[in-house]
Amino acid sequence: MMAGAASPPPVAASPRPETADDRVRAIRRPHRKLLRYYFLFSLITGPAFPVVFTILFLRYRTLSYRFDDEGVTMSWGAVFKREISLTYSRIQDIHVQSNAVERWLGLSRLLVQTASGSAKAEMKIEGLLELSAVRNFMYSRMRGARTAVPAAAGALPAPPAGDDAAALASTLREIAREVAAIRSALERGR
C-alpha cells in the first residue's frame, strides 16, 4: 500500500430489508397529493371555496394513521379532535373507492366496515399511495385475528388447512352429526 493512501471505508452490514408490512407500519400521515385533491375539490364549491378549503386543509394537517398488530387508528381535528380505533377482529370488509380525480392523482380511499349495523363505512382511510399494501396488511391481520380467537365452548373447530373442498366437507359432516345429536336429544325429551 502506498504511504498516505487512504484505506477504503469499512463495509457496513446491510440493514434488514424492509418488508411491505414494515412500510405499512411506518405510515403516519397522508401523502401531500391529498392536499392537492382537497384544493381541487374545494374549487368546485365556488364562492364557498375559502371555507371549504380551510376545513379540508385543517383536516389534512391533523390527519394521522397508526397501523399496528392490534388494529388501525385514525385521528384528525384541530378544534374538535376525533379518533377512531378499530381492532382487526371487528373489521368485516374493506372496500376501495376512487373517483376520476383521485385516480388521476394516484389516490384512492379504503372504506373499512365493521359489524356495527351501519351501511356506511366506520373508517375512511384516504391519501395513501401504498393502497394495495395497506389493504393486504389489513386483510392478513383480519384473517389472523379471526383464527386466533379461542373457540367458545361447544363451538366447531376451525376447518383443517389444506384442500378447501375437503375442509368444507369435513366441517359439513361435523355439523350434520351435531344436528343429528340435537334432534335425537329433543326427541328423547318429548
Side-chain angles (χ1 to χ4, degrees), residues 178-190:
E178 289 290 322
V179 169
I182 292 170
R183 181 183 297 149
S184 66
L186 287 173
E187 288 174 355
R188 280 190 303 251
R190 287 187 189 169

Side-chain angles (χ1 to χ4, degrees), residues 31-40 99-108 128-129:
H31 194 272
R32 64 184 171 271
K33 287 184 178 182
L34 181 62
L35 187 58
R36 288 186 212 153
Y37 173 73
Y38 283 167
F39 178 78
L40 293 172
N99 58 35
V101 177
E102 287 173 318
R103 285 192 302 271
W104 176 64
L105 291 170
L107 298 171
S108 291
L128 303 181
L129 299 179

Side-chain angles (χ1 to χ4, degrees), residues 20-153:
D21 285 358
D22 292 337
R23 287 191 301 274
V24 170
R25 282 189 183 96
I27 295 172
R28 294 288 179 254
R29 301 266 310 125
H31 194 272
R32 64 184 171 271
K33 287 184 178 182
L34 181 62
L35 187 58
R36 288 186 212 153
Y37 173 73
Y38 283 167
F39 178 78
L40 293 172
F41 179 80
S42 299
L43 279 177
I44 65 170
T45 62
F49 170 80
V51 174
V52 173
F53 184 69
T54 301
I55 292 169
L56 291 175
F57 177 77
L58 290 173
R59 176 180 169 86
Y60 171 78
R61 293 294 295 166
T62 60
L63 186 60
S64 67
Y65 301 109
R66 187 177 70 242
F67 298 92
D68 57 29
D69 289 332
E70 279 89 45
V72 58
T73 302
M74 176 180 154
S75 64
W76 70 97
V79 178
F80 301 104
K81 186 80 169 165
R82 293 194 58 197
E83 184 173 296
I84 300 173
S85 294
L86 296 177
T87 59
Y88 296 117
S89 60
R90 284 191 56 215
I91 296 173
Q92 293 289 316
D93 204 3
I94 301 171
H95 298 278
V96 178
Q97 192 176 58
S98 62
N99 58 35
V101 177
E102 287 173 318
R103 285 192 302 271
W104 176 64
L105 291 170
L107 298 171
S108 291
R109 286 169 278 163
L110 284 179
L111 305 176
V112 181
Q113 293 183 321
T114 63
S116 66
S118 173
K120 68 177 201 166
E122 188 84 17
M123 179 185 289
K124 181 172 67 170
I125 300 172
E126 58 186 347
L128 303 181
L129 299 179
E130 309 85 1
L131 198 63
S132 62
V134 172
R135 184 181 57 210
N136 293 341
F137 177 86
M138 291 177 69
Y139 269 132
S140 69
R141 298 306 178 283
M142 284 169 51
R143 290 184 198 109
R146 289 199 175 89
T147 58
V149 173

